[in-house]
C-alpha cells in the first residue's frame, strides 16, 4: 500500500524570493517528494510550502528546508504582522494515505530530535505530537513571539524545549507536530480599522467561545483589516459557515467583506460544500460534478494539450520523463498483478518491494516532467540576457550554468528510467506470465526515455569545454550502453517464456 504524508511548513520569509527559492529547492532536491504549492505574503513576511511523499522522504525534505531557513533567515532583522518564533516557524505532518496519525506523531518526534541534535535549534512538539498538554496549542507556543521567547526560554520552566538547547539564536525555535488537514483562509474587510478585525476574530474563534474548529487573528495587511483563520476540521465547522459569521459580525460595525484569500491548498470537499450551500443544492454529492468522472482522462489530456501548444515548454524533455513515468507505472502494475496471483506466492515479498520502488520512481519522474520545463524556461531567460549583455562575463557565466542545469535534469530523468529498466528486467524473470507484454512495453518506454535523455544531454552541452560538461557526456554515454543491454535482457526473458503459457490468469 502506498504511504503518503503531507507537510505544510511555514517560514518567516515572504519578501526575498531568492531565499524562498533556496528553501523550496531544498525540498524538491529530495527524491520522490512533490512540492504541490508555495504561497508567500510580504505583509505577513511568511511563506507556506505544501509537499507530499513517503514518510522518510518527507521528513528528510522538512529537515533540509529547516536547515536552509536557519542559514538564510535572521529573526533579529525580521518584521511581519504574523506571529512567529522561528525562521522555520511550524512544521506539521498530516496523514493522507496508508498512514495513521500515530505514524505522523512518530515522524514528528524523530525529526524534532534530529533538528535539536544536528542543527542546535530548540524544538517544541505541538498538536497530536505534544509532549505536554499546555503545548498542544500553537498560539500558546507563540505567546510573546520570538522576542518574548528569547528571555523566557532561559528562565521559565514551562518554556523549556522538548529537544535542542535552552537558548535562542537568530533562527529562533521550531515547532513540529502532527495534525489533521486544515484550511488556512483570510478574509479582508472593507475597512482599515484593525480593531474591528480583532473583535471579529475574538467572536469566531473557539478559545473565546466561538466556532469549535476555528482559530483566528485580527491583523492589518496592506492597509486593510484582515481576519486570518485556520479551520482545523472543515467537515464539522464548514468554511462557508465561518465566512458568513464574519460577514454578519462585520455588518455590526458598518463593514463588509472586500475579498478572501486561500493560503496553501484546500480539500475539494470544502469548496463543493460551500458551493452547494450558497446555491441551495439539495441532495448534492461530488458524484454530480462532471470532472469527477473525467479526472483520469483529464490529467493526461491536459499534459498533451500543453505539449501541443505554441509555448516552448513543456517539450521533449518533459515528454521523455513522462514516458519513463508510464514505464514505472507498468512495472508497478506487473508486480501487483503477480502478488495477487496465488500461483506466485514465492515471488510476493520481492514483488511487494519492486512495486513500492516503482511507485517512488514514478513520482520522481513526474517531478522531472515539471523540472524540465522549469530549467528550460530558465535557459531561455539566460540566453536572452546573454544576447542583451554580450560583453558581460557574468551574463555568459550564468548562461553556461543554465545550460549545464538544463542538461542535468534530463540526465537525472534518464538515470531514473534506467533503474525502471532494471526493475522491469528483474520482474520479467519472476512475474506472472500474463504481464510479460506489459513489461515489454515498460522496457520500450523506459529505453526511449533514457535514450532521449542522453541525446538531450549531448545537445545541451555541445560546444562547452569544461570538466562538468565532460562528466555529463560520459554519464550520457553510460546511459546509452546500459539501457540497450537491459532492454535486450527484458526482451530475451519475454521470449524465453513458453508461448502457450502467456495467459496464466
Amino acid at each position: 500500500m502506498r504511504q503518503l504524508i503531507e507537510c505544510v511548513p511555514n517560514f518567516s520569509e515572504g519578501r526575498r524570493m531568492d531565499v524562498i527559492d533556496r528553501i523550496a529547492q531544498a525540498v524538491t532536491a529530495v527524491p520522490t517528494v512533490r512540492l504541490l504549492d508555495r504561497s508567500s505574503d510580504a505583509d505577513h513576511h511568511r511563506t507556506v510550502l505544501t509537499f507530499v511523499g513517503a514518510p522518510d522522504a518527507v521528513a528528510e525534505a522538512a529537515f533540509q528546508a529547516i536547515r536552509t531557513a536557519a542559514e538564510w533567515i535572521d529573526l533579529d532583522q525580521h518584521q511581519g504582522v504574523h506571529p512567529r518564533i522561528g525562521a522555520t516557524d511550524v512544521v506539521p505532518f498530516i496523514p493522507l494515505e496508508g498512514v495513521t496519525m500515530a505514524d505522523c506523531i512518530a515522524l514528528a518526534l524523530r525529526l524534532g530530535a534530529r533538528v535539536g541534535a544536528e542543527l542546535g535549534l530548540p524544538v517544541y512538539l505541538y498538536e497530536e505530537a505534544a509532549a505536554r498538554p499546555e503545548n498542544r496549542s500553537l498560539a500558546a507556543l507563540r505567546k510573546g513571539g520570538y522576542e518574548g521567547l528569547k528571555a523566557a526560554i532561559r528562565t521559565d520552566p514551562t518554556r523549556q524545549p522538548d529537544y535542542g538547547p535552552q537558548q535562542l539564536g537568530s533562527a529562533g525555535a521550531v515547532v513540529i507536530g502532527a495534525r489533521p488537514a486544515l484550511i488556512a483562509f483570510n478574509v479582508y474587510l472593507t475597512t482599515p480599522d484593525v480593531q474591528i478585525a480583532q473583535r471579529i476574530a475574538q467572536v469566531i474563534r473557539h478559545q473565546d467561545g466561538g466556532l469549535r474548529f476555528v482559530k483566528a487573528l485580527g491583523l492589518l495587511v496592506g492597509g486593510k483589516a484582515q481576519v486570518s483563520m485556520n479551520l482545523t476540521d472543515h467537515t464539522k465547522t464548514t468554511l462557508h459557515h465561518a465566512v458568513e459569521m464574519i460577514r454578519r459580525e462585520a455588518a455590526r460595525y458598518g463593514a463588509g467583506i472586500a475579498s478572501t484569500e486561500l493560503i496553501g491548498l484546500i480539500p475539494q470537499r470544502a469548496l463543493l460544500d460551500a458551493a452547494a450551500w450558497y446555491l441551495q443544492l439539495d441532495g448534492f454529492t461530488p458524484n454530480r460534478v462532471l470532472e469527477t468522472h473525467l479526472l483520469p482522462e483529464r490529467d493526461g489530456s491536459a499534459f498533451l494539450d500543453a505539449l501541443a501548444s505554441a509555448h516552448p515548454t513543456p517539450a521533449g524533455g518533459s515528454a521523455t520523463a513522462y514516458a519513463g513515468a508510464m514505464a514505472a507505472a507498468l512495472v508497478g502494475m506487473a508486480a501487483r498483478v503477480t502478488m495477487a496471483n496465488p500461483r506466485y506466492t514465492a515471488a510476493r515479498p520481492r514483488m511487494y518491494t519492486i512495486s513500492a520502488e516503482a511507485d517512488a520512481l514514478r513520482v520522481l519522474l513526474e517531478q522531472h516532467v515539471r523540472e524540465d520545463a522549469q530549467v528550460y524556461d530558465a535557459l531561455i531567460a539566460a540566453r536572452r540576457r546573454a544576447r542583451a549583455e554580450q560583453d558581460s562575463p557574468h551574463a555568459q557565466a550564468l548562461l553556461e550554468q543554465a545550460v549545464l542545469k538544463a542538461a542535468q535534469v534530463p540526465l537525472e530523468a534518464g538515470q531514473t528510467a534506467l533503474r525502471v529498466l532494471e526493475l522491469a528486467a528483474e520482474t520479467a524473470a519472476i512475474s506472472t506470465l500474463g504481464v510479460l507484454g506489459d513489461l515489454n512495453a515498460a522496457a520500450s518506454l523506459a529505453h526511449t526515455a533514457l535514450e532521449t535523455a542522453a541525446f538531450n544531454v549531448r545537445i545541451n552541452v555541445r560546444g562547452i569545454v569544461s570538466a562538468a560538461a565532460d562528466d555529463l557526456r560520459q554519464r550520457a554515454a553510460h546511459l546509452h550502453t546500459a539501457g540497450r543491454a537491459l532492454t535486450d535482457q527484458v526482451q530475451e526473458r519475454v521470449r524465453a517464456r513458453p508461448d502457450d503459457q502467456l495467459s496464466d490468469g
Side-chain angles (χ1 to χ4, degrees):
M1 179 185 293
R2 183 172 72 156
Q3 291 186 307
L4 203 61
I5 283 180
E6 179 186 23
C7 186
V8 192
N10 290 216
F11 303 93
S12 299
E13 178 57 65
R15 299 168 188 170
R16 297 179 295 166
M17 295 310 298
D18 59 322
V19 173
I20 297 168
D21 287 342
R22 288 177 187 273
I23 296 171
Q25 287 163 9
V27 170
T28 57
V30 177
T32 76
V33 171
R34 291 181 60 190
L35 179 62
L36 302 182
D37 184 72
R38 51 187 279 182
S39 178
S40 301
D41 184 273
D43 291 297
H44 283 249
H45 208 352
R46 192 172 186 80
T47 291
V48 178
L49 300 183
T50 304
F51 54 88
V52 298
D56 288 344
V58 166
E60 179 63 25
F63 178 82
Q64 296 302 332
I66 293 167
R67 181 204 296 273
T68 304
E71 291 173 355
W72 289 92
I73 298 174
D74 182 352
L75 286 190
D76 289 322
Q77 308 300 320
H78 179 275
Q79 293 293 328
V81 299
H82 202 288
R84 81 285 184 265
I85 60 171
T88 302
D89 189 50
V90 59
V91 181
F93 293 116
I94 301 108
L96 292 183
E97 183 179 332
V99 294
T100 64
M101 184 62 74
D103 295 325
C104 289
I105 293 170
L107 201 65
L109 267 58
R110 290 202 302 271
L111 178 63
R114 185 182 177 192
V115 169
E118 296 184 28
L119 302 183
L121 297 176
V123 175
Y124 294 92
L125 299 171
Y126 88 116
E127 285 284 356
E128 300 299 323
R132 292 168 282 175
E134 63 271 21
N135 283 357
R136 282 188 64 92
S137 167
L138 184 58
L141 288 168
R142 286 188 182 139
K143 185 178 180 180
Y146 164 73
E147 292 78 9
L149 184 59
K150 259 187 160 180
I153 196 172
R154 292 175 176 272
T155 59
D156 186 347
T158 67
R159 304 302 297 273
Q160 290 184 9
D162 296 299
Y163 301 106
Q166 196 174 336
Q167 61 181 11
L168 221 57
S170 62
V174 186
V175 180
I176 300 175
R179 61 164 174 76
L182 61 74
I183 300 172
F185 198 81
N186 300 327
V187 177
Y188 289 89
L189 306 179
T190 57
T191 175
D193 190 343
V194 71
Q195 290 187 348
I196 294 177
Q198 291 168 345
R199 292 184 192 122
I200 294 173
Q202 186 175 13
V203 168
I204 68 169
R205 63 188 174 221
H206 178 248
Q207 73 177 46
D208 289 316
L211 299 173
R212 174 63 181 87
F213 297 97
V214 173
K215 301 176 180 179
L217 292 171
L219 306 170
L220 182 64
V221 179
K224 292 182 179 178
Q226 179 196 87
V227 181
S228 178
M229 290 190 297
N230 279 346
L231 274 73
T232 57
D233 189 340
H234 70 90
T235 66
K236 296 176 180 175
T237 297
T238 62
L239 179 60
H240 53 270
H241 187 184
V243 170
E244 284 306 303
M245 190 167 180
I246 291 172
R247 193 189 308 278
R248 289 194 297 271
E249 287 298 314
R252 295 177 55 212
Y253 302 99
I257 294 178
S259 63
T260 62
E261 177 183 41
L262 175 66
I263 304 299
L265 302 181
I266 187 171
Q268 185 183 64
R269 177 178 170 179
L271 294 177
L272 293 178
D273 286 348
W277 189 83
Y278 279 111
L279 296 175
Q280 297 178 270
L281 280 173
D282 291 334
F284 175 79
T285 68
N287 199 46
R288 303 289 298 278
V289 178
L290 175 64
E291 286 76 8
T292 300
H293 298 275
L294 301 181
L295 191 57
E297 296 84 358
R298 184 179 170 86
D299 287 347
S301 296
F303 177 71
L304 293 176
D305 288 344
L307 203 61
S309 73
H311 195 276
T313 57
S318 293
T320 293
Y322 198 81
M326 288 192 292
L330 284 170
V331 172
M333 178 271 288
R336 289 185 176 87
V337 170
T338 302
M339 281 192 291
N341 192 319
R343 295 174 58 184
Y344 290 82
T345 303
R348 283 179 184 170
R350 183 58 189 151
M351 288 294 103
Y352 179 84
T353 302
I354 288 174
S355 67
E357 185 175 356
D359 288 345
L361 294 172
R362 174 168 57 85
V363 171
L364 185 56
L365 283 157
E366 288 175 328
Q367 184 171 310
H368 287 317
V369 171
R370 296 184 293 275
E371 287 178 347
D372 187 85
Q374 292 167 357
V375 297
Y376 192 69
D377 284 337
L379 177 58
I380 292 172
R383 283 173 176 165
R384 288 172 179 163
R385 178 172 178 177
R387 284 196 297 269
E389 304 175 24
Q390 294 183 9
D391 297 328
S392 168
H394 180 63
Q396 294 301 321
L398 289 177
L399 175 58
E400 182 168 325
Q401 291 174 12
V403 169
L404 292 174
K405 182 65 176 176
Q408 182 68 34
V409 168
L411 178 65
E412 291 173 356
Q415 290 171 327
T416 307
L418 181 64
R419 179 56 185 160
V420 173
L421 256 178
E422 291 173 347
L423 293 181
E426 182 181 355
T427 307
I430 56 177
S431 69
T432 172
L433 300 174
V435 298
L436 291 179
D438 303 300
L439 289 168
N440 184 64
S444 297
L445 285 166
H447 183 250
T448 296
L450 68 86
E451 279 288 323
T452 309
F455 179 80
N456 285 344
V457 172
R458 293 193 295 270
I459 287 295
N460 280 322
V461 300
R462 183 178 51 189
I464 297 181
V465 180
S466 71
D470 289 342
D471 178 63
L472 289 169
R473 292 187 189 95
Q474 290 173 8
R475 291 160 70 186
H478 170 72
L479 274 182
H480 171 77
T481 304
R484 182 68 270 170
L486 280 167
T487 303
D488 290 344
Q489 190 178 97
V490 173
Q491 293 172 347
E492 288 170 5
R493 287 177 175 176
V494 169
R495 287 194 296 267
R497 299 307 253 307
D499 291 342
D500 60 350
Q501 297 180 19
L502 289 184
S503 179
D504 64 350

